[in-house]
Amino acid sequence: MARKLVSCTVNGTKRHYHIDVRASLSDMLRNEEGLDSIKHGCDVGECGACTVLIDGKPFNSCIYLAIWAEGKSILTVEGLNDVKTGISDIQQAFIDAGAVQCGFCTPGFIMASIPIIESDKPASRDEIRRQVAGNLCRCTGYEKIVDAIEKTQKKRIAERKSSS
Amino acid sequence: MDIIGAPLKRVDAKEKTTGQAKYTGDLVPRNALVAKVLHSTIGNGIVKSFDLTEAWKVPDIVDIVTCFDVPDIQFPTAGHPWSTDKKHQDIADRKLLNTRVRFYGDDIAAVIAENELAAREALRKIKVTYEEFEPVITVEDAMKPTRIPIHEERPDNVVVHSSYEIGSYEEARREPGLIKIEGDYETPIVQHCHIEKALSFAYIESGKIVVVSATQIPHIIRRICSQALGVGFGDIRIIKPYLGGGFGNRQDALTEPLNAFLATRVAGRPVKLEYTREETFNCTRVRHAMKFHIESYVRTDGSFAARSIIAYSNQGAYASHAHALVANAINGFRMMYPVGAIKGEAYTVYTNLPTAGAMRAYGIPQIGFALEAHVDDIVAKTGFDPIEFRKTNMMKLGYVDSLTTITCHSTGLAECIDKGERYLNYTEKRNTYKNQSGPIRKGVGMAIFCYKTGVYPISLETAACRMVLNQDGSFQLQVGATEIGQGADTVFVQMAAHTVGVTVDKVHLISKQDTDVTPYDSGAYASRQTYVSGMAVKKTAESLKAKILDFAGFMLHKDPWDLDIKENFIVHKHKEEHLLSVAEVAIESCYSLTNSQHIAAEESHHCSDNTYAFGVCFAEIEVDIPMCQIKVLDIINVHDSGKIINRQTAEGQVHGGMSMGLGYGLSEILKFDPKTGKMLNGNLLDYKLMTPIDTPDLHADFVETNDPTGPYGNKALGEPPVIPVAPALRNALFNATGVAMDSIPLNPEKLFFAFEHAGLYK
């Protein structure tokens, strides 16, 4: 089957892959990079467990062809782990709020929440729910996930205000 | 600070937020072959033959196995501890692949290929010839004498029929002046929807078949695989990594037995068997649909004189946990209001639908809906206050169930009701919302439940634990009990640290189970682990502590009986002064030139008690009658689960259960083509589980009792939160509209016909 060269940035590093044109982005990142935070819960874009950021926007990587990633910048949960400073505030907020149970949906939820916490417009709890509506969790009832996102967004807005 | 009750962050949270936590699918070796199962495309019949010619031509095909190639062994799949008493053994009614097709999607063949695409292509090219029978979808139809038996061992399709009677029902209901209320109630087939699909991989290593699986019950899966393949227990090794949710679906053998067999077909090379989401819906387990007929005879003082129930449980194609669920349901019917004469009868019936098994709260969500809906039907007809009526008749402290001997050792149920009532201002709102008119109406509802903790004495309760001291005074904690998302690992760490007398950072929990290494435990189900496995942790921690103190006594030339461990230090009992650190004892015990001892403890505990957890849900809703929609305005669950070991993880359990209960009450139902029995909505888009935007803010609260039988005063919590939500919503709808629904989910389709029938559109 046809293969194609794909060049993209993954978690800040420029990468080149010679990839089967039929492969999904999630398969490419799991198989070629070992980015196992990307989970497959449905393989058809229903559950959101494979959510990654592509040029800053959340996508279901299971239904995003790997070849479409040409020239794009991709961020996964592994890219939030800083070797020097440790984990990011949103990851810590998930831990502190008790937003993690089985953990299978957790990386996808964290990635889906990044546009919310990076926005200057404060989001209500209902707005947070709407923005992560493409992600499913069967363990938490979403309550503590919304808590973690809400808290981190407030913290980020306050930080930006105090530094500006 | 007391570690029991402290809000310790989950011990696995960091791994899970960073992507470091490895689940089964993250551990598949790169050279693994891929297996796919061919599922039947008829609902009832017999496989006559296969034409594999075209399938074998697909490049990269390694093997094709059909139902004619598997061992002629029928095996059970239910995740129960094995019973050495034949009468209590699970029903062995399936083979690894089945010639007799019993539902649309039955496993009839399997393909092993070098890659997934080849496996899928080969599946498409297999031609099957069937002899077809008309599928039987409903319990009523299946019980007709003219039907061809789904299993030849059960000619009438009845898996089990059971009954009980407390007192004389016939005599009690003839008491003069009684009010009779009867009703029929029905619950749907729903699914667990853990986000990690059903999967495993298997290989042969050192002569053993190793199965790495997403299971709740590794030790039980080992037994089932050995039975299914006809090999020894010791020939099978099960490894359970982190698990992406279970909710009872994985309290059953799913992909493991076939996967183990397939590994033997390719000389032990790793074979992955991962179900798609659609297969996970159709070909694992579902929650039993049940139908109930309830009759109640109530005195004018608001007490029950007599009540009875007949229950029918739709088992689907294979027995799995079979009658245990509906038996639990009619037992729950008796236990909740143990007043007057009580009669129960239940049938579990095979049909040509997907197999029903365990799902969060094991039959009690079904009876919880029926019974608490019925209680509101009683108070509507008699005018009793719904809270007073429940308090008059509900289980009280000291109650001993006469059929199971399960005893009410502690109860905070009345306080739970009071707390929920105050939170919602239920009584006042209930009166305000009576007799509304207009298209948008509000209503409040409530429901209570009781739930036993573990399965004793109906089944075996046993658990084991091991602790091995390191030279720095820390220790490994290993349990057979499994972390499936509920937070078991975290509370075990708290228990171990508390009882040994060290800080939680000294406890290194080994989360993964490996049946060759891990002490025995039957696994995660029945909300049993903090109670039953917690006893094993406590017993082992006491044993480890005694050994540490023995050695400290040797070092200090003191009688160990005088010593204690507090926050990592050896102290005199009742004194604060640090005599030695546990680390000093640990390193000396390891390297002493005169008396080296490698301190470790391992204990198993045979649990011989049980206790009831309780709780309540109060909900306020808004009903849009023209749109046939229910909006939840406010909802709270209040639980008595004894002493709460970790408030944060406990709240998480309650929230998750409430969310599942909201789905059960409002939107979840699996639909089937009545002609073929084919599942119509087995995917996460068409099956309406709660998404973030469907879910309101959820409130969780507790009434903490100190149960004398719980190892740390604790009782069941994992499953119960799902139970009271659906009936509370139904009762709120009744309050808002006067429409008493007798089935769930309360989805727009059903509400439209109910509102029309009630004349709300006139």
Side-chain angles (χ1 to χ4, degrees):
Chain A
M1 196 51 68
R3 296 180 88 84
K4 203 175 165 183
L5 187 72
V6 175
S7 301
C8 54
T9 303
V10 177
N11 294 332
T13 308
K14 191 84 181 162
R15 298 284 189 198
H16 308 282
Y17 306 103
H18 195 233
I19 198 82
D20 187 322
V21 294
R22 300 166 301 180
S24 67
L25 179 61
S26 58
D27 276 339
M28 182 176 86
L29 296 175
R30 279 181 64 92
N31 298 338
E32 306 293 323
E33 291 290 339
L35 296 173
D36 286 337
S37 75
I38 301 166
K39 301 299 184 200
H40 287 148
C42 67
D43 304 286
V44 290
E46 291 163 356
C47 77
C50 64
T51 304
V52 301
L53 295 191
I54 302 174
D55 289 345
K57 287 188 183 144
F59 281 88
N60 289 318
S61 60
C62 73
I63 50 168
Y64 190 98
L65 281 178
I67 53 170
W68 295 344
E70 176 63 35
K72 303 262 197 285
S73 177
I74 296 149
L75 188 68
T76 74
V77 149
E78 287 88 347
L80 302 176
N81 305 331
D82 188 298
V83 287
K84 292 207 182 82
T85 57
I87 61 175
S88 63
D89 55 358
I90 184 67
Q91 290 165 300
Q92 190 62 48
F94 267 66
I95 296 170
D96 293 343
V100 181
Q101 289 193 28
C102 86
F104 205 76
C105 74
T106 304
F109 259 104
I110 289 173
M111 297 319 291
S113 71
I114 287 181
I116 307 171
I117 60 173
E118 287 183 346
S119 166
D120 285 324
K121 188 170 163 275
S124 68
R125 290 178 72 84
D126 277 350
E127 282 161 356
I128 290 170
R129 289 191 178 96
R130 199 166 297 117
Q131 291 202 50
V132 297
N135 293 65
L136 296 175
C137 171
R138 194 61 153 167
C139 296
T140 65
Y142 310 102
E143 184 70 19
K144 290 180 187 293
I145 292 175
V146 176
D147 289 348
I149 299 170
E150 187 182 35
K151 201 176 154 201
T152 310
Q153 200 213 16
K154 282 184 178 154
K155 182 192 81 101
R156 290 263 189 120
I157 289 174
E159 279 170 5
R160 282 194 291 268
K161 267 190 189 151
S162 65
S163 66
S164 62
Chain B
M1 188 177 64
D2 197 343
I3 301 167
I4 298 296
L8 179 69
K9 302 295 171 221
R10 284 182 69 107
V11 295
D12 52 6
K14 191 167 179 184
E15 278 184 277
K16 288 175 173 178
T17 52
T18 54
Q20 289 163 341
K22 298 293 181 201
Y23 298 74
T24 300
D26 304 328
L27 297 166
V28 180
R30 288 185 84 93
N31 67 334
L33 298 164
V34 175
K36 283 276 160 195
V37 176
L38 182 70
H39 301 288
S40 70
T41 53
I42 64 165
N44 192 6
I46 297 169
V47 177
K48 301 306 281 187
S49 64
F50 293 95
D51 179 353
L52 306 176
T53 320
E54 293 304 311
W56 273 115
K57 288 180 188 165
V58 174
D60 293 336
I61 287 300
V62 176
D63 198 9
I64 302 176
V65 187
T66 74
C67 52
F68 304 116
D69 305 324
V70 296
D72 186 20
I73 299 173
Q74 294 202 162
F75 62 94
T77 67
H80 295 140
W82 188 238
S83 176
T84 50
D85 175 2
K86 253 195 153 50
K87 286 201 300 289
H88 289 103
Q89 290 173 357
D90 290 312
I91 296 165
D93 68 350
R94 76 162 74 203
K95 295 180 188 174
L96 290 167
L97 297 164
N98 295 291
T99 308
R100 174 71 173 89
V101 170
R102 299 183 174 99
F103 77 107
Y104 194 108
D106 211 338
D107 303 350
I108 57 171
V111 167
I112 307 172
E114 291 288 344
N115 57 69
E116 178 156 351
L117 290 173
R120 283 172 182 261
E121 194 183 342
L123 277 193
R124 277 195 299 272
K125 293 192 169 170
I126 296 177
K127 296 188 187 82
V128 190
T129 309
Y130 299 102
E131 180 186 346
E132 264 190 86
F133 310 137
E134 192 187 339
V136 176
I137 309 301
T138 65
V139 164
E140 295 83 349
D141 204 5
M143 289 175 79
K144 284 179 188 161
T146 52
R147 286 294 175 194
I148 296 168
I150 295 169
H151 293 264
E152 60 187 26
E153 299 88 342
R154 298 283 192 288
D156 56 359
N157 286 330
V158 174
V159 186
V160 181
H161 170 221
S162 68
S163 61
Y164 66 76
E165 186 165 1
I166 306 293
S168 170
Y169 179 74
E170 286 307 318
E171 209 170 285
R173 73 189 187 127
R174 284 201 294 271
E175 183 181 313
L178 298 180
I179 310 157
K180 180 184 178 184
I181 300 98
E182 61 185 321
D184 291 282
Y185 307 91
E186 191 175 346
T187 62
I189 297 178
V190 298
Q191 226 249 350
H192 317 70
C193 298
H194 36 73
I195 306 297
E196 181 190 30
K197 295 169 288 185
L199 82 161
S200 55
F201 62 93
Y203 53 94
I204 296 177
E205 185 178 280
S206 307
K208 285 189 172 202
I209 304 170
V210 185
V211 186
V212 181
S213 174
T215 182
Q216 301 175 215
I217 48 166
H219 279 283
I220 290 178
I221 293 297
R222 178 164 80 150
R223 184 259 299 168
I224 294 171
C225 286
S226 82
Q227 291 172 329
L229 272 63
V231 300
F233 278 49
D235 296 325
I236 303 277
R237 176 180 169 200
I238 306 294
I239 295 172
K240 179 254 160 206
Y242 278 123
L243 182 77
F247 312 112
N249 200 18
R250 310 194 214 254
Q251 192 205 340
D252 219 308
L254 301 177
T255 56
E256 301 92 347
L258 179 62
N259 201 167
F261 176 69
L262 294 178
T264 68
R265 297 275 300 197
V266 292
R269 194 174 154 190
V271 178
K272 179 177 82 160
L273 178 55
E274 179 173 18
Y275 275 1
T276 62
R277 174 54 59 184
E278 292 71 17
E279 286 176 293
T280 302
F281 264 103
N282 194 46
C283 309
T284 61
R285 302 291 176 268
V286 294
R287 181 182 275 158
H288 291 79
M290 292 188 193
K291 288 184 177 183
F292 303 97
H293 178 74
I294 302 177
E295 292 184 11
S296 296
Y297 292 86
V298 181
R299 298 188 185 93
T300 51
D301 67 355
S303 63
F304 281 117
R307 47 198 206 97
S308 69
I309 186 162
I310 301 177
Y312 296 91
S313 180
N314 191 329
Q315 179 53 52
Y318 293 97
S320 176
H321 290 244
H323 197 63
L325 287 104
V326 74
N328 205 34
I330 63 170
N331 281 350
F333 173 82
R334 175 179 76 240
M335 292 161 172
M336 187 70 257
Y337 300 108
V339 177
I342 310 173
K343 197 170 86 162
E345 187 177 2
Y347 294 84
T348 294
V349 182
Y350 280 129
T351 62
N352 297 118
L353 287 180
T355 301
M359 182 172 167
R360 199 174 196 161
Y362 213 74
I364 304 301
Q366 293 95 318
I367 191 62
F369 170 74
L371 180 56
E372 289 299 278
H374 182 68
V375 168
D376 264 34
D377 289 349
I378 292 172
V379 298
K381 189 159 176 185
T382 57
F384 294 125
D385 177 76
I387 287 180
E388 284 315 307
F389 184 82
R390 285 179 169 89
K391 282 185 174 174
T392 301
N393 292 290
M394 71 194 191
M395 187 198 299
K396 306 290 188 319
L397 184 67
Y399 164 71
V400 182
D401 180 60
S402 58
L403 299 185
T404 62
T405 73
I406 299 173
T407 302
C408 179
H409 295 293
S410 62
T411 173
L413 179 55
E415 294 84 348
C416 288
I417 295 173
D418 293 344
K419 218 170 184 175
E421 202 289 327
R422 278 197 305 276
Y423 172 84
L424 201 70
N425 197 12
Y426 165 84
T427 304
E428 195 183 315
K429 282 181 179 170
R430 182 169 177 269
N431 289 327
T432 308
Y433 294 153
K434 275 180 183 167
N435 309 315
Q436 293 169 86
S437 56
I440 311 288
R441 300 181 199 176
K442 287 183 180 177
V444 289
M446 59 88 68
I448 64 174
F449 72 87
C450 66
Y451 196 75
K452 59 196 173 50
T453 306
V455 298
Y456 180 85
I458 295 155
S459 194
L460 168 70
E461 275 300 6
T462 187
C465 174
R466 180 185 300 136
M467 295 176 187
V468 179
L469 190 68
N470 299 318
Q471 293 91 323
D472 63 355
S474 67
F475 60 89
Q476 278 69 252
L477 164 60
Q478 204 173 18
V479 287
T482 57
E483 170 62 61
I484 66 168
Q486 81 283 51
D489 283 354
T490 305
V491 297
F492 292 145
V493 167
Q494 289 177 274
M495 291 172 176
H498 172 87
T499 299
V500 175
V502 297
T503 49
V504 290
D505 58 300
K506 301 296 181 199
V507 185
H508 304 296
L509 180 118
I510 300 172
S511 188
K512 184 191 279 187
Q513 277 74 33
D514 175 340
T515 54
D516 268 12
V517 179
T518 311
Y520 186 87
D521 192 295
S522 35
Y525 57 84
S527 303
R528 58 181 288 282
Q529 291 191 153
T530 48
Y531 187 78
V532 176
S533 310
M535 292 173 185
V537 171
K538 188 175 186 179
K539 193 170 171 182
T540 310
E542 285 170 351
S543 172
L544 184 79
K545 181 178 182 174
K547 290 179 181 185
I548 295 169
L549 291 179
D550 259 352
F551 203 88
F554 159 75
M555 287 172 72
L556 293 164
H557 306 291
K558 287 181 189 293
D559 188 327
W561 192 85
D562 285 331
L563 303 175
D564 197 0
I565 305 175
K566 282 184 184 156
E567 299 202 8
N568 310 328
F569 286 94
I570 311 295
V571 295
H572 261 295
K573 272 181 187 166
H574 318 300
K575 286 185 188 166
E576 298 298 318
E577 185 198 349
H578 293 172
L579 303 175
L580 277 173
S581 69
V582 174
E584 286 169 300
V585 177
I587 199 159
E588 184 62 21
S589 73
C590 191
Y591 299 117
S592 167
L593 288 172
T594 56
N595 186 21
S596 74
Q597 293 179 20
H598 301 284
I599 296 177
E602 178 161 351
E603 300 288 345
S604 73
H605 185 71
H606 180 94
C607 172
S608 55
D609 213 333
N610 199 323
T611 192
Y612 297 99
F614 299 94
V616 58
C617 176
F618 281 83
E620 180 170 5
I621 64 168
E622 187 177 89
V623 189
D624 184 328
I625 294 170
M627 295 301 289
C628 308
Q629 279 189 333
I630 292 174
K631 185 181 175 191
V632 177
L633 300 176
D634 203 352
I635 186 162
I636 187 169
N637 266 28
V638 187
H639 288 264
D640 163 23
S641 290
K643 174 79 182 156
I644 297 300
I645 311 293
N646 184 319
R647 173 92 188 198
Q648 187 183 65
T649 57
E651 282 174 359
Q653 287 301 288
V654 177
H655 292 151
M658 290 174 77
S659 172
M660 211 175 261
L662 285 163
Y664 196 48
L666 296 177
S667 57
E668 291 182 37
I669 180 168
L670 279 169
K671 300 201 168 193
F672 299 90
D673 176 3
K675 286 205 178 73
T676 61
K678 183 182 181 182
M679 188 183 281
L680 298 174
N681 60 335
N683 61 70
L684 293 171
L685 194 64
D686 298 314
Y687 179 79
K688 299 299 180 189
L689 74 162
M690 301 301 281
T691 75
I693 44 171
D694 303 316
T695 310
D697 274 323
L698 304 170
H699 302 281
D701 208 345
F702 300 93
V703 169
E704 290 198 47
T705 54
N706 191 356
D707 192 86
T709 69
Y712 298 89
N714 55 300
K715 308 191 278 188
L717 177 62
E719 298 162 286
V722 71
I723 301 167
V725 178
L729 295 170
R730 179 269 186 193
N731 291 340
L733 179 72
F734 192 11
N735 178 228
T737 63
V739 176
M741 299 294 291
D742 55 12
S743 69
I744 43 176
L746 307 172
N747 58 9
E749 177 191 356
K750 191 175 288 165
L751 292 183
F752 171 76
F753 291 110
F755 291 164
E756 190 180 49
H757 182 74
L760 296 186
Y761 295 134
K762 277 177 192 157

